[in-house]
Amino acid sequence: MSRHVLVAIDDSEASRAAFEYALEEYPNATITALHVFDSTHPHVYADATGGSADRYEEYERANRERGSELLADATECAAERGQGVRTALEDGRPTSAILEYAADRDVDHLVLGSHDRSVSSRVSFGTVCQRVAKRASVPVTVV
């Protein structure tokens, strides 16, 4: 039985389903909802004029706010079921951030939502879900 379950949260229906699955399947575990935003993404602060530090700060602030909203929604969803949830907001590359967070906090199960993507996209770039599942040292459930 899992004691600490980490669920990666973004603004997709798949991650919402994964979170609800974790609440239902692991009612006695500590559940942590983790949102990761990647401030190193190449389009973060580049614009038609070449980008600026102001655009970067604006992007980071907006992503932190959106992440906080998603985590507040997760907290509310858990509370509606009479459960608690831990939340965490991390900046970094999603695959690495999820795996590092799990390793540093003694997580023993990961639950991830699988996004619907075209076959060519998955073959060319892979997905965070696929990369996490391949590199994780704990069981991974993909919803």
Side-chain angles (χ1 to χ4, degrees):
M1 162 114 6
S2 295
R3 294 174 328 242
H4 189 182
V5 178
L6 178 65
V7 184
I9 299 289
D10 61 19
D11 59 357
S12 69
E13 287 297 318
S15 78
R16 174 80 177 196
F19 183 70
E20 290 175 357
Y21 171 88
L23 291 173
E24 187 172 317
E25 291 297 315
Y26 305 102
N28 298 318
T30 298
I31 296 179
T32 300
L34 170 67
H35 177 75
V36 180
F37 70 94
D38 185 359
S39 63
T40 65
H41 191 278
H43 301 295
V44 166
Y45 55 93
D47 61 12
T49 63
S52 71
D54 291 339
R55 300 264 310 160
Y56 174 82
E57 290 171 8
E58 176 184 326
Y59 175 85
E60 184 176 13
R61 185 174 32 259
N63 276 284
R64 284 190 184 281
E65 288 173 10
R66 180 63 185 140
S68 294
E69 290 170 5
L70 292 169
L71 294 171
D73 290 346
T75 301
E76 183 178 325
C77 177
E80 289 171 358
R81 295 170 179 247
Q83 293 175 261
V85 64
R86 293 179 182 176
T87 61
L89 180 63
E90 297 285 325
D91 177 6
R93 296 193 177 268
T95 300
S96 297
I98 292 167
L99 293 169
E100 288 171 18
Y101 189 95
D104 291 347
R105 287 160 184 91
D106 209 22
V107 168
D108 61 357
H109 197 106
L110 298 170
V111 178
L112 307 169
S114 177
H115 294 263
D116 294 327
R117 293 202 176 159
S118 70
V119 171
S120 62
S121 174
R122 286 193 309 266
V123 170
S124 298
F125 305 109
T127 65
V128 169
C129 187
Q130 289 171 325
R131 290 189 297 266
V132 168
K134 285 181 183 178
R135 293 177 44 199
S137 62
V138 298
V140 177
T141 299
V142 178
V143 178

